[in-house]
């Protein structure tokens, strides 16, 4: 075996870690972060429903594990091979700032281990130090008191306490001790955590992963569904039992008398084979795209990463698609679903007809190459329509509480098929993901405009001109302009909290400019009015436009009342009103 064990004091010890053992540890990390995901989400600073750190880290880490798990059994001994697949999966699956940073941590670890079949504790430490370097480098302005601090401090603590004869078990035990020492201190480092009296959720998520990996290392027979109990030093509240959702498909929705109306949602992972393709590395993905378009495929998304093709298409002939694809390789995964059943299930779950493809909501068949295209992130039918009407070519479904993965951006880039692509993330927690996807994509020049709100993104669209030849200059102007856009939000508090000097109760409506809570009311329109009244005349002196997006919880009567209130308070501003139907926020206000 490639990893050696020695019994010391009745405990199995590992001196050389190989790929098989590390894959088992990744499994443990996935189970642990999954089990504690809601608890981590609940560590959110703000009492509005935007705490999704646990969910983002779970999906990111699981994406890495699943890709590593795809390695055939006889190839799992090499640590380099396992970590390469793990890192690739995490980079594509990264969601939110915490997920991106987590993927960069393990990317650094992978870079150091790329030439190793096995490592000892000393070599593993160097890999973790590379993880610190890589993750800090990936963030433009690293903030201490976050997952970055927890991972760095834990690694430095490990270095101080590691001995020449330390085992892999010693390494992880010490690493976790270091993480537990620094985690409670994060709320002393960051004022916003101190005010909310919570520890950093990203750091807590990393501790969960490390604990799960350690438990799986100790248990050579580890199998899924074993979880590590995480206390977070008694700082976080007890995890509540969330009701399980029934996500099974009701096959009775498509009977013997039904007519195939929507076709089949067909997805697969195809590994190109040297026996079928002359040059795997330079295989032209357009061969597949042209075929799919020739048979009338819709919502076509296909991209190649190394020797794997990821494909999504809506078609009435999935067998024809699969037969064609086997000319170039063999399938790793296949999913074919009758979209009539998906359609019914979505209506039951969401109460409205939505895009059920899993791809972006405005994806369409591959079209001719464009000189420039715009990709944006948004949720809510009204918001999506507003962005599309204003010139957006492709919308990725997402936003607050629903951060898309890096792979969703890669799919979008491939779908728009443009020489230059401008990206509007429209959420501060999605900017890093968009940038990571941009670095991975090589077929177009990608410009990520760091829009941190829907309001900034909508304003940016007004300045984007597809006919403008100097795109670099245009993007620079857009970035300067969005910095002056005032973004105000009204959201419902989902729990009690003491924040920004205010005693917030569940059910209150919060009026916010960025992270500043400026108004509080039991009535959403009153919260909106007080929020707008808090703006001084100097702030809005040179402003000309005000755009109001009403959320899915706002009735037509409330929208009209809000509009009349705004027009009476700001008679000199041109006011535009949209029924955005966005989640989380009752009102989004942009002033420019």
């Amino acid at each position: 075996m490639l990893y050696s064990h020695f019994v010391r004091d009745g405990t199995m010890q590992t001196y050389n870690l190989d790929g098989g053992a590390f894959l088992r540890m990744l499994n443990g990390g996935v189970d642990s972060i999954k089990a504690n995901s809601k608890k981590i989400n609940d560590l959110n600073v703000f009492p509005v429903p935007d705490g999704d750190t646990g969910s983002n880290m779970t999906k990111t880490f699981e994406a890495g594990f699943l890709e590593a798990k795809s390695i055939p059994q006889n190839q799992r001994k090499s640590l380099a091979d396992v970590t390469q697949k793990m890192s690739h999966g995490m980079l594509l699956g990264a969601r939110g700032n915490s997920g991106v940073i987590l993927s960069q941590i393990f990317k650094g670890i992978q870079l150091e281990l790329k030439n190793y079949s096995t490592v000892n504790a000393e070599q593993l430490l160097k890999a973790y130090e590379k993880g610190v370097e890589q993750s800090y480098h990936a963030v433009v302005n690293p903030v201490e008191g976050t997952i970055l601090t927890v991972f760095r401090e834990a690694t430095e603590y490990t270095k101080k306490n590691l001995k020449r004869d330390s085992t892999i078990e010693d390494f992880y035990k010490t690493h976790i001790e270091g993480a537990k020492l620094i985690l409670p201190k994060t709320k002393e480092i960051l004022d916003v955590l101190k005010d909310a009296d919570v520890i950093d959720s990203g750091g807590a998520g990393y501790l969960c992963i490390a604990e799960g990996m350690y438990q799986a290392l100790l248990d050579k027979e580890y199998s899924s569904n074993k979880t590590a109990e995480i206390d977070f030093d008694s700082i976080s509240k007890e995890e509540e039992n969330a009701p399980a959702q029934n996500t099974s498909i009701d096959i009775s929705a498509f009977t013997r008398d039904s007519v195939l109306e929507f076709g089949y949602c067909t997805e697969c992972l195809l590994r190109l084979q040297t026996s079928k393709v002359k040059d795997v590395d330079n295989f032209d993905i357009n061969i597949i795209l042209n075929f799919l378009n020739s048979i009338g495929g819709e919502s076509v998304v296909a991209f190649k990463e190394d020797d794997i093709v990821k494909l999504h298409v809506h078609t009435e002939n999935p067998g024809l698609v699969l037969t064609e694809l086997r000319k170039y390789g063999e399938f790793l995964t296949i999913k074919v679903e009758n979209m009539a059943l998906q359609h019914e299930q979505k209506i039951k779950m969401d109460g409205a007809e939505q895009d059920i493809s899993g791809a972006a909501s405005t994806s369409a068949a591959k079209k001719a190459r464009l000189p420039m295209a715009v990709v944006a992130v948004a949720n809510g039918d009204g918001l999506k329509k507003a962005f599309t009407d204003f010139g957006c070519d492709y919308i990725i479904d997402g936003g607050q509480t629903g951060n898309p993965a890096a792979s969703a951006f890669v799919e979008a880039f491939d779908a728009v098929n443009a020489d230059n692509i401008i990206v509007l993330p429209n959420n501060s927690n999605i900017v890093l993901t968009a940038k990571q996807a941009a670095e991975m994509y090589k077929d177009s020049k990608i410009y990520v405009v760091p829009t941190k709100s829907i309001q900034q993104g909508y304003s940016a669209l007004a300045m984007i001109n597809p006919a403008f030849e100097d795109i670099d200059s245009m993007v620079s102007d857009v970035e300067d302009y969005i910095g002056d856009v005032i973004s105000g939000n009204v959201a419902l508090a989902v729990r009690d909290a003491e924040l920004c000097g205010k005693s917030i109760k569940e059910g209150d409506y919060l009026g916010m400019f960025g992270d500043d809570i400026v108004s509080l009311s039991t009535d959403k329109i009153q919260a909106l009015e007080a929020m707008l009244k808090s703006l001084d005349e100097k702030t809005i002196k040179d402003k000309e436009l005000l755009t109001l997006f009403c959320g899915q919880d706002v009735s037509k009567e409330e929208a009209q009342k809000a509009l009349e209130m705004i027009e009476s308070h700001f008679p000199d501003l041109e006011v535009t009103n949209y029924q955005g139907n966005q989640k989380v926020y009752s009102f989004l206000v942009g002033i420019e």
Side-chain angles (χ1 to χ4, degrees):
M1 297 184 69
L2 289 177
Y3 57 95
S4 59
H5 294 282
F6 178 75
V7 177
R8 184 174 69 193
D9 299 328
T11 303
M12 194 71 73
Q13 301 293 313
T14 307
Y15 283 92
N16 293 287
L17 180 69
D18 80 342
F22 193 71
L23 183 61
R24 185 177 78 243
M25 293 169 66
L26 294 179
N27 192 0
V30 168
D31 287 343
S32 182
I33 188 71
K34 271 188 177 180
N36 292 278
S37 178
K38 185 180 183 298
K39 187 183 292 186
I40 297 165
N41 287 344
D42 287 345
L43 291 172
N44 174 44
V45 171
F46 285 91
V48 297
D50 65 349
D52 50 5
T53 300
S55 302
N56 287 338
M57 294 183 73
T58 297
K59 291 172 182 175
T60 301
F61 198 74
E62 186 174 33
F65 167 66
L66 291 176
E67 180 141 346
K69 190 180 177 183
S70 70
I71 299 176
Q73 287 280 355
N74 61 354
Q75 297 177 21
R76 293 180 177 179
K77 291 183 178 182
S78 170
L79 189 59
D81 291 346
V82 171
T83 55
Q84 192 278 327
K85 287 293 184 183
M86 167 211 68
S87 175
H88 179 259
M90 287 183 70
L91 289 172
L92 277 176
R95 298 170 185 255
N97 292 343
S98 54
V100 171
I101 293 173
L102 183 67
S103 71
Q104 290 295 328
I105 285 173
F106 280 89
K107 176 62 178 177
I109 292 172
Q110 179 266 322
L111 288 173
E112 183 63 29
L113 299 180
K114 63 183 179 181
N115 296 318
Y116 290 95
S117 292
T118 67
V119 291
N120 57 30
E122 230 173 15
Q123 293 166 325
L124 187 61
L125 174 62
K126 290 182 179 179
Y128 270 60
E129 288 178 322
K130 183 66 175 179
V132 172
E133 177 188 330
Q134 178 74 19
S135 57
Y136 269 81
H137 178 72
V139 182
V140 177
N141 295 305
V143 177
E144 297 298 342
T146 64
I147 180 176
L148 290 169
T149 305
V150 173
F151 181 71
R152 176 179 57 76
E153 291 275 356
T155 301
E156 290 176 357
Y157 181 86
T158 306
K159 184 175 184 179
K160 291 178 182 177
N161 292 278
L162 209 63
K163 300 175 182 176
R164 290 189 65 181
D165 63 344
S166 289
T167 64
I168 303 299
E169 287 84 358
D170 293 332
F171 177 93
Y172 281 100
K173 181 180 179 181
T174 307
H175 188 72
I176 290 167
E177 286 174 359
K180 286 183 175 179
L181 285 173
I182 186 60
L183 186 56
K185 297 177 183 178
T186 55
K187 65 178 179 179
E188 300 172 10
I189 299 172
L190 270 179
D191 289 339
V192 66
L193 297 178
K194 184 177 183 180
D195 291 343
D197 193 29
V198 293
I199 55 176
D200 177 66
S201 55
Y206 176 74
L207 175 59
C208 284
I209 290 171
E211 284 272 23
M213 291 177 67
Y214 178 52
Q215 293 303 319
L217 173 66
L218 296 177
D219 183 2
K220 278 190 66 181
E221 305 302 321
Y222 184 89
S223 60
S224 195
N225 297 321
K226 293 184 179 181
T227 59
E229 294 293 329
I230 309 297
D231 184 23
F232 298 146
D233 294 325
S234 302
I235 295 175
S236 65
K237 61 183 180 181
E238 291 297 320
E239 181 174 8
E240 299 172 356
N241 293 320
Q245 288 187 334
N246 180 12
T247 57
S248 61
I249 297 294
D250 179 12
I251 61 174
S252 66
F254 194 85
T255 70
R256 67 179 70 182
D257 299 315
S258 298
V259 176
L260 185 66
E261 180 181 358
F262 300 104
Y264 296 92
C265 177
T266 305
E267 298 178 350
C268 69
L269 287 180
L270 178 80
R271 187 181 294 280
L272 300 172
Q273 301 292 299
T274 54
S275 60
K276 299 183 177 185
V277 176
K278 185 176 181 180
D279 186 354
V280 169
D281 292 332
N282 295 306
F283 177 78
D284 185 3
I285 193 68
N286 286 311
I287 295 174
I288 292 175
L289 291 169
N290 291 338
F291 168 77
L292 296 175
N293 290 328
S294 72
I295 63 168
E298 297 180 345
S299 294
V300 176
V301 177
F303 67 89
K304 175 179 173 289
E305 186 70 28
D306 296 328
D307 60 356
I308 293 178
V309 172
K310 182 174 182 179
L311 176 136
H312 169 279
V313 62
H314 293 174
T315 178
E316 293 185 2
N317 299 290
L320 189 62
V321 172
L322 299 179
T323 299
E324 175 69 16
L325 291 178
R326 282 206 66 208
K327 294 179 180 178
Y328 313 108
E330 300 295 347
F331 297 108
L332 300 176
T333 63
I334 297 175
K335 183 180 76 171
V336 179
E337 294 183 348
N338 186 325
M339 292 197 294
L341 302 182
Q342 290 182 325
H343 177 79
E344 288 295 320
Q345 184 69 5
K346 265 297 182 184
I347 290 176
K348 290 179 181 179
M349 292 177 65
D350 299 333
E353 183 176 342
Q354 298 181 10
D355 179 6
I356 40 73
S357 68
S361 60
T362 58
S363 60
K366 191 85 171 185
K367 51 188 178 181
R369 186 82 169 174
L370 298 172
M372 192 190 82
V374 180
V375 171
V377 179
N379 75 78
D381 294 339
L383 275 184
K384 292 175 181 177
K385 186 177 185 304
F387 269 74
T388 302
D389 290 347
F390 214 5
C392 187
D393 297 278
Y394 192 107
I395 297 178
I396 300 172
D397 188 71
Q400 206 72 10
T401 75
N403 300 158
S407 60
F409 284 94
V410 174
E411 291 171 2
F413 301 159
D414 200 60
V416 296
N417 192 28
D419 295 327
N420 301 281
I421 301 173
I422 296 176
V423 185
L424 307 175
N426 299 338
N427 187 289
S428 60
N429 205 35
I430 302 176
V431 174
L432 274 182
T433 307
K435 289 183 176 180
Q436 180 156 293
E439 290 178 2
M440 299 171 68
Y441 198 75
K442 306 302 181 186
D443 293 339
S444 306
K445 186 170 183 179
I446 311 294
Y447 300 83
V448 178
V449 179
T451 51
K452 297 181 180 180
S453 68
I454 285 291
Q455 299 92 312
Q456 286 186 343
Y458 191 70
S459 296
L461 281 174
M463 298 189 64
I464 296 174
N465 183 355
F468 204 82
E469 294 185 359
D470 189 351
I471 298 179
D472 291 278
S473 176
M474 180 177 67
V475 169
S476 178
D477 290 342
V478 171
E479 291 180 349
D480 290 340
Y481 183 75
I482 62 172
D484 292 328
V485 175
I486 299 173
S487 299
N489 313 313
V490 174
L492 182 70
V494 294
R495 60 178 173 83
D496 296 349
E498 294 288 335
L499 201 61
C500 297
K502 292 178 172 60
S503 180
I504 301 165
K505 300 297 182 185
E506 181 181 349
D508 286 342
Y509 286 93
L510 313 178
M512 299 170 286
F513 288 114
D515 293 339
D516 295 328
I517 299 174
V518 298
S519 69
L520 189 64
S521 175
T522 56
D523 180 83
K524 60 172 73 81
I525 296 177
Q526 290 179 5
L528 173 64
E529 183 175 14
M531 179 189 77
L532 293 174
K533 282 185 175 180
S534 71
L535 294 171
D536 57 50
E537 292 185 7
K538 184 178 180 181
T539 301
I540 61 172
K541 180 181 178 181
D542 298 322
K543 303 301 181 184
E544 298 176 350
L545 305 174
L546 186 149
T547 305
L548 175 70
F549 295 99
C550 298
Q552 61 183 10
D553 65 324
V554 178
S555 66
K556 290 183 179 179
E557 292 75 16
E558 288 174 322
Q560 183 60 34
K561 188 177 179 181
L563 182 60
E564 291 172 356
M565 178 271 294
I566 291 173
E567 289 177 337
S568 66
H569 281 299
F570 301 101
D572 296 329
L573 293 181
E574 180 182 336
V575 180
T576 305
N577 179 38
Y578 293 95
Q579 188 63 41
N581 293 323
Q582 69 271 7
K583 301 174 184 178
V584 180
Y585 297 114
S586 300
F587 298 108
L588 296 173
V589 178
I591 304 175
E592 54 185 299

